[in-house]
Amino acid sequence: QVQLVESGGGLVQAGGSLRLSCAASGRSFSSRAMGWFRQAPGKEREYVAAISWGGGTTRYADSVKGRFTISRDNAKNTVYLQMNSLKPEDTAVYYCAADRTAWGSIKQSQAEYEHWGQGTQVTVSS
C-alpha cells in the first residue's frame, strides 16, 4: 500500500516557478512508476508527466514539455515536479499517483494508477 501527500502548490505570477513534492509512505514506492496529473476547474483530470520506478525514464504531456521536469528520490520516498515558465492555463489542482503495478513500465493513462494523493492547488495569475 502507498499513501501519497502532495505539497508545494501556491499562487504565482505568469512566468514564475513552483516545485511540487509528493511524499510517499509504504515500502513499495521505489518499485512503482509515478505520475503527476492535474484538474482545472470545469475540466477533466489530465496527464502531466510520469517517471519510471528507477527514475531513468520520463515522459511529458506536450503542453508542459520543456517547462516542467519530473524527478524522484527513492531514498526520500519523494517525487517532484519542477514547474518553470508557468502560464495561467497551468492553473489546476495537481495530483500525484502511483502505478498500480510494481516494476511496471512508465504510463500515461490514469486507469493504470492508484494510490492518489489529495492534490495541491496551483494558481498562476496573468
Side-chain angles (χ1 to χ4, degrees), residues 15-99:
S17 299
L18 282 174
R19 189 194 196 198
L20 305 184
S21 298
C22 172
S25 61
R27 293 180 294 176
S28 63
F29 170 80
S30 60
S31 67
R32 296 180 186 269
M34 297 293 294
W36 283 98
F37 297 81
R38 66 186 182 186
Q39 187 167 21
K43 296 186 177 181
E44 294 188 353
R45 189 163 58 189
E46 64 177 4
Y47 162 79
V48 174
I51 188 167
S52 59
W53 54 266
T57 303
T58 57
R59 295 287 187 270
Y60 299 92
D62 288 343
S63 59
V64 306
K65 200 171 294 183
R67 300 187 298 122
F68 291 11
T69 302
I70 188 172
S71 61
R72 67 190 297 161
D73 185 339
N74 285 345
K76 295 183 179 180
N77 275 14
T78 303
V79 63
Y80 305 97
L81 186 68
Q82 177 67 44
M83 306 186 295
N84 299 329
S85 302
L86 283 161
K87 304 175 181 180
E89 51 263 44
D90 294 318
T91 294
V93 178
Y94 283 71
Y95 300 89
C96 65
D99 187 354

